[in-house]
Amino acid sequence: MEGYSKCPQLLDLIPKDKEWVVKRVEKTSHGLSEEKKLELRLGPPGGEWTITDNKNSSFGYNNFSVQNPVSKSPWQQNQMPVMNESSQRCNNRVELQSAEKMKALSPAPANNTAVPNSQKRNAPGPVVGWPPIRSFRKNNIASGSCSKLSSESPDVGPPKVSGPKPAENTGPRSLFVKINMDGIPIGRKVDLKTYDSYDKLSLAVDELFRGLLAAQSDSCAGGMKDKEDREKGIGCLLDGSGEYTLVYEDNEGDRMLVGDVPWHMFVSTVKRLRVLKSSELSTLSCELWKQTGEALSERVIELGRKATILR
Amino acid sequence: MLNYFPEEVLEHVFDFVTSHRDRNAVSLVCKSWYSVERFSREKVFIGNCYAVNPERVIARFPRVRSLTLKGKPHFADFNLVPPDWGGYVYPWIEAMAKHGINLEELRLKRMVVSDESLELLAKSFPNFKSLVLVSCEGFTTDGLAAIASNCRFLRELDLQENEVDDRKGQWLSCFPDSCTSLISLNFACLKGEVNAAALERLVARCPNLRSLRLNHAVPLDTLQKILTQAPQLNDLGTGSFVHDPDSETCGKLKNAMKKCKSIRSLSGFLDVNARCLPAVYPICTNLTSLNLSYAPGIYSNDLIKLICHCKKLERLWVCFFIKLIHYTYFFSGVPLSNQGLNWIMQILDTIGDKGLGAVASTCKELQELRVFPSDLYGVGNAGVTEEGLVAISAGCPKLNSILYFCQQMTNAALITVAKNCPNFIRFRLCTLNPTIPDAVTNLPLDEGFGAIVQSCKGLKRLSVSGLLTDQVFLYIGMYAEQLEMLSIAFAGDSDKGMLYVLNGCKKLKKLEIRDSPFGNVALLADVGKYETMRSLWMSSCEVTFGACKTLAEKMPRLNVEIINEGEEIEASPDDRHRVEKMYLYRTLVGPRRDAPDFVWTL
């Protein structure tokens, strides 16, 4: 467990006011301050692979710029060891290879040390025709759009001719989903179509379960809760501050935190809701870290997908 | 003894000799065999349209019915050949029309096809049945309309990855009501709409239709109606695969799919809502070929769910498309960003590999796999790594053909792959960083590829990438005895590399090299070798103008073409000038007369 705390806490990436904020408890060896913004911005059109040596943008195969660059390129080798260490602990799946993989991700130093002749071939600038993919394929893949998400493909070939539009999900007039709460054996159903925002949903859920909670604690052995508590309700469900947190299961079976995505997107992918004890959530997050890299990656991808919507 | 066979018997025997190589061999035995063979040959294959001219082909094979022609060099696919370079089909069609050839089939690859050529084709050959165009350009839907209107017995119109100017006419509606002979129709590469009703009627009246590939503009509900009319299909390319998955249409589609018991090959998904994919599950069990490489936004999970139904797959083309990296993430702090991003990057790598793991567990009959890179604009293009390839090699023992774009590779992985799969015929590896070393050891990838050529004794086609020294070419020259085509980019240290290949690979037919330090010594060491090969391409190498001239002088049956772009075109460049692009090929007919200004034949 101890190693995990060094990694970015995934569940710390909680949207506050639609901004992603990464909370870090400890400083890195570079002594940066604690809170950094994880800014999500549209990348520039790449198109061609760029080989560069020792430039800031040498990592990727695209032009890559850092918003507030500290002093050096993020991808230079002298920063590798830091990354290796924590990533090894983070990602148990990657195992021994992570360190080496990290090295491989930065082509410039490796090239320079390994092969003296490579200088000439690693001329800066875009490389025509690499990777070798037929232009037809390049244009068509890049301009494709996932109907789930709106994609803006920057600068790619001929625009797709729009055929008949994909059918909008005009859908039924009501959308009842099950909602269960930790500690309460009987679930409820809510009609999501009757709400148009997360706040309203949260209030509704609160009301739904308040009575049940009260009844439950009355019938519990001891019944120690006083009247005030019983009528207090559940508190805020959405920001992790209350005793309970609202999560949902989406159409792919993944458990997601409610509130990440725009309301209409949430409504179109939600399959069921669940009210968890917030303390459970942190247990879950530990569980999360213990899972294999595959599950983690799914989480990341989900977040990434959601994130693109936010922009 | 065979001389006493009457010609009719010989001809009958030769009917069973179908491959063009075998027929070429047969024709070399003796004069009478040459003669019988040439009059009986109906299918002619010409790998380089400039190696010969139409008149000579027609003179030798007057009964030709099917002609296959290839035009531009392979690297034209990657924008290395300027437009208007050549490869025009018109002179061929014109000559055949003039000589009354009974042409029934024309198959073209990387050629320039004008509407005029298509019109001439449509009007000159009353028995014309089959037109297959792959990676061609120069025509519009008007040309297709001419084909549709005039070719009364058309059986096959197959357009693969062509650049077609869509005039938004109604070319498909030009198939007359009397056209009922279609067996194969593929217009997936067209960008414009076709009249859905006309398409449905066409499908309904062609009972022999076996292969249908629609374009992006054909919506799902049309697909559903078509499938209901044509349950006999065995090859389907969907158009757009987007709809409300809970709708009646999707339900009807799934039912229609259930009735299509013959579909063995599936492609398309040019636009897809992954939630509609379950509609194709009914046909997955019998699929032998699946091409999802044009499907944007099918996430690994959906892909895996689909693949798990496809236990009989023999051919799979995929593209691991990960939306997360469609956008570049910009981080404001450095080290955490590093950690975070690299951590995410690693996870993403394993996603693609996980998908391949699913393929490895499910598709035990897999023979051919192509993995195209995910979004080219993302950070690091996390897609697949060597792990995915190793998993596939371990799980799919019948694998013989692979095209694999990957983030990184290791020698160890390649060595393992070589051990697991000794049956490769085609092995094409492309690291997205063309000079990336072994991801673990930082060494060149020489040993890995060396293992591949040593183990795969039947290897015919090889593309190498990553950090490579002359050593890899030593291995290739030593072991790749059956190698016919080799693609090299950003590799090698000196002329020795190229010499190893030229001296060692006896069956080499096509060699294409870019951005590698091979020069005059290698080029001129064995000039006779080039007459045993179809072609040699060298760009951004160390070859000079003088050496090319020398070569051209020594070998009159080679066309040595220099492609000059840019403004510094001098009347006679210095012999010591490096040549930017050189393409040489053997030919029976001397320098071509249609070369543009920027192409010099020395």
Side-chain angles (χ1 to χ4, degrees), chain B residues 241-263:
Chain B
F241 210 74
V242 171
H243 213 273
D244 173 2
D246 300 317
S247 67
E248 202 186 321
T249 305
C250 266
K252 281 198 221 168
L253 179 65
K254 194 161 189 173
N255 288 333
M257 288 274 182
K258 284 187 192 148
K259 301 211 179 86
C260 295
K261 299 211 183 290
S262 307
I263 295 185

Short mmCIF file of all heavy atoms in Angstrom, two decimals, chain B residues 241-263:
data_model
loop_
_atom_site.label_atom_id
_atom_site.label_comp_id
_atom_site.label_asym_id
_atom_site.label_seq_id
_atom_site.Cartn_x
_atom_site.Cartn_y
_atom_site.Cartn_z
N PHE B 241 -22.25 2.59 -39.29
CA PHE B 241 -22.85 1.63 -38.36
C PHE B 241 -23.28 2.38 -37.11
O PHE B 241 -22.88 2.06 -35.99
CB PHE B 241 -21.84 0.54 -38.02
CG PHE B 241 -22.49 -0.78 -37.71
CD1 PHE B 241 -23.03 -1.56 -38.73
CD2 PHE B 241 -22.57 -1.25 -36.41
CE1 PHE B 241 -23.64 -2.76 -38.46
CE2 PHE B 241 -23.18 -2.46 -36.13
CZ PHE B 241 -23.72 -3.21 -37.15
N VAL B 242 -24.11 3.34 -37.37
CA VAL B 242 -24.51 4.23 -36.29
C VAL B 242 -26.01 4.30 -36.22
O VAL B 242 -26.66 4.54 -37.22
CB VAL B 242 -23.96 5.65 -36.55
CG1 VAL B 242 -24.54 6.63 -35.57
CG2 VAL B 242 -22.45 5.64 -36.46
N HIS B 243 -26.51 4.07 -35.06
CA HIS B 243 -27.95 4.18 -34.88
C HIS B 243 -28.23 4.14 -33.40
O HIS B 243 -27.36 3.79 -32.61
CB HIS B 243 -28.66 3.02 -35.60
CG HIS B 243 -30.00 3.40 -36.15
ND1 HIS B 243 -31.14 3.35 -35.39
CD2 HIS B 243 -30.37 3.86 -37.36
CE1 HIS B 243 -32.17 3.76 -36.15
NE2 HIS B 243 -31.72 4.07 -37.33
N ASP B 244 -29.42 4.47 -33.06
CA ASP B 244 -29.84 4.28 -31.68
C ASP B 244 -29.93 2.78 -31.43
O ASP B 244 -30.76 2.10 -32.02
CB ASP B 244 -31.19 4.95 -31.48
CG ASP B 244 -31.77 4.66 -30.10
OD1 ASP B 244 -31.11 3.98 -29.29
OD2 ASP B 244 -32.89 5.13 -29.84
N PRO B 245 -29.08 2.27 -30.58
CA PRO B 245 -29.03 0.82 -30.43
C PRO B 245 -30.31 0.19 -29.90
O PRO B 245 -30.53 -1.00 -30.04
CB PRO B 245 -27.88 0.59 -29.43
CG PRO B 245 -27.65 1.90 -28.79
CD PRO B 245 -28.13 2.96 -29.70
N ASP B 246 -31.14 0.99 -29.28
CA ASP B 246 -32.38 0.43 -28.76
C ASP B 246 -33.51 0.51 -29.75
O ASP B 246 -34.63 0.15 -29.44
CB ASP B 246 -32.78 1.18 -27.47
CG ASP B 246 -31.71 1.06 -26.42
OD1 ASP B 246 -31.19 -0.06 -26.26
OD2 ASP B 246 -31.38 2.08 -25.77
N SER B 247 -33.20 0.97 -30.94
CA SER B 247 -34.28 1.21 -31.89
C SER B 247 -34.72 -0.07 -32.57
O SER B 247 -34.03 -1.09 -32.55
CB SER B 247 -33.80 2.19 -32.95
OG SER B 247 -32.80 1.56 -33.71
N GLU B 248 -35.85 0.05 -33.23
CA GLU B 248 -36.40 -1.08 -33.97
C GLU B 248 -35.45 -1.48 -35.09
O GLU B 248 -35.28 -2.66 -35.40
CB GLU B 248 -37.73 -0.64 -34.55
CG GLU B 248 -38.67 -1.77 -34.88
CD GLU B 248 -39.91 -1.22 -35.58
OE1 GLU B 248 -40.37 -0.13 -35.17
OE2 GLU B 248 -40.38 -1.86 -36.52
N THR B 249 -34.84 -0.47 -35.71
CA THR B 249 -33.95 -0.74 -36.84
C THR B 249 -32.82 -1.67 -36.43
O THR B 249 -32.48 -2.61 -37.15
CB THR B 249 -33.35 0.57 -37.38
OG1 THR B 249 -34.42 1.45 -37.71
CG2 THR B 249 -32.51 0.31 -38.61
N CYS B 250 -32.23 -1.39 -35.29
CA CYS B 250 -31.14 -2.25 -34.84
C CYS B 250 -31.63 -3.64 -34.57
O CYS B 250 -30.95 -4.62 -34.85
CB CYS B 250 -30.48 -1.66 -33.58
SG CYS B 250 -29.08 -0.64 -33.99
N GLY B 251 -32.82 -3.71 -34.01
CA GLY B 251 -33.39 -5.03 -33.77
C GLY B 251 -33.59 -5.79 -35.06
O GLY B 251 -33.22 -6.96 -35.19
N LYS B 252 -34.13 -5.08 -36.07
CA LYS B 252 -34.35 -5.72 -37.37
C LYS B 252 -33.02 -6.13 -37.99
O LYS B 252 -32.92 -7.16 -38.64
CB LYS B 252 -35.05 -4.74 -38.32
CG LYS B 252 -36.54 -4.61 -38.10
CD LYS B 252 -37.18 -3.99 -39.34
CE LYS B 252 -38.24 -2.98 -38.96
NZ LYS B 252 -38.67 -2.16 -40.10
N LEU B 253 -32.01 -5.30 -37.78
CA LEU B 253 -30.70 -5.61 -38.34
C LEU B 253 -30.18 -6.90 -37.76
O LEU B 253 -29.67 -7.76 -38.47
CB LEU B 253 -29.73 -4.46 -38.07
CG LEU B 253 -28.31 -4.68 -38.61
CD1 LEU B 253 -28.32 -4.74 -40.13
CD2 LEU B 253 -27.38 -3.58 -38.14
N LYS B 254 -30.31 -7.02 -36.47
CA LYS B 254 -29.81 -8.24 -35.84
C LYS B 254 -30.54 -9.46 -36.39
O LYS B 254 -29.92 -10.50 -36.66
CB LYS B 254 -30.00 -8.14 -34.32
CG LYS B 254 -29.20 -9.20 -33.57
CD LYS B 254 -29.01 -8.83 -32.10
CE LYS B 254 -28.02 -9.78 -31.45
NZ LYS B 254 -27.66 -9.39 -30.08
N ASN B 255 -31.84 -9.33 -36.58
CA ASN B 255 -32.59 -10.45 -37.15
C ASN B 255 -32.14 -10.76 -38.57
O ASN B 255 -32.00 -11.92 -38.96
CB ASN B 255 -34.09 -10.15 -37.13
CG ASN B 255 -34.63 -10.21 -35.73
OD1 ASN B 255 -34.08 -10.92 -34.88
ND2 ASN B 255 -35.67 -9.46 -35.45
N ALA B 256 -31.91 -9.71 -39.35
CA ALA B 256 -31.45 -9.92 -40.73
C ALA B 256 -30.09 -10.61 -40.72
O ALA B 256 -29.83 -11.51 -41.52
CB ALA B 256 -31.38 -8.59 -41.47
N MET B 257 -29.25 -10.21 -39.79
CA MET B 257 -27.92 -10.82 -39.68
C MET B 257 -28.03 -12.30 -39.38
O MET B 257 -27.28 -13.12 -39.91
CB MET B 257 -27.12 -10.15 -38.56
CG MET B 257 -26.65 -8.76 -38.88
SD MET B 257 -25.09 -8.81 -39.74
CE MET B 257 -24.75 -7.08 -39.93
N LYS B 258 -28.99 -12.63 -38.54
CA LYS B 258 -29.13 -14.04 -38.18
C LYS B 258 -29.39 -14.90 -39.40
O LYS B 258 -29.01 -16.06 -39.45
CB LYS B 258 -30.27 -14.22 -37.18
CG LYS B 258 -29.91 -13.79 -35.77
CD LYS B 258 -31.01 -14.15 -34.78
CE LYS B 258 -30.74 -13.43 -33.47
NZ LYS B 258 -31.94 -13.07 -32.74
N LYS B 259 -30.07 -14.29 -40.39
CA LYS B 259 -30.40 -15.09 -41.57
C LYS B 259 -29.24 -15.16 -42.56
O LYS B 259 -29.29 -15.93 -43.52
CB LYS B 259 -31.62 -14.49 -42.28
CG LYS B 259 -32.84 -14.44 -41.39
CD LYS B 259 -34.14 -14.59 -42.18
CE LYS B 259 -35.33 -14.57 -41.24
NZ LYS B 259 -35.80 -13.19 -40.94
N CYS B 260 -28.23 -14.34 -42.35
CA CYS B 260 -27.10 -14.34 -43.29
C CYS B 260 -26.09 -15.37 -42.87
O CYS B 260 -25.06 -15.05 -42.27
CB CYS B 260 -26.45 -12.96 -43.33
SG CYS B 260 -27.51 -11.68 -43.98
N LYS B 261 -26.38 -16.59 -43.19
CA LYS B 261 -25.55 -17.66 -42.65
C LYS B 261 -24.26 -17.86 -43.43
O LYS B 261 -23.42 -18.66 -43.05
CB LYS B 261 -26.35 -18.96 -42.65
CG LYS B 261 -27.60 -18.84 -41.78
CD LYS B 261 -27.98 -20.14 -41.16
CE LYS B 261 -29.26 -20.04 -40.37
NZ LYS B 261 -29.12 -19.26 -39.15
N SER B 262 -24.12 -17.13 -44.54
CA SER B 262 -22.93 -17.36 -45.36
C SER B 262 -21.84 -16.32 -45.20
O SER B 262 -20.80 -16.45 -45.82
CB SER B 262 -23.32 -17.39 -46.84
OG SER B 262 -24.35 -18.31 -47.03
N ILE B 263 -22.09 -15.32 -44.41
CA ILE B 263 -21.09 -14.24 -44.33
C ILE B 263 -19.83 -14.74 -43.65
O ILE B 263 -19.88 -15.20 -42.51
CB ILE B 263 -21.64 -13.00 -43.60
CG1 ILE B 263 -22.78 -12.39 -44.40
CG2 ILE B 263 -20.53 -11.96 -43.42
CD1 ILE B 263 -23.31 -11.09 -43.83
#
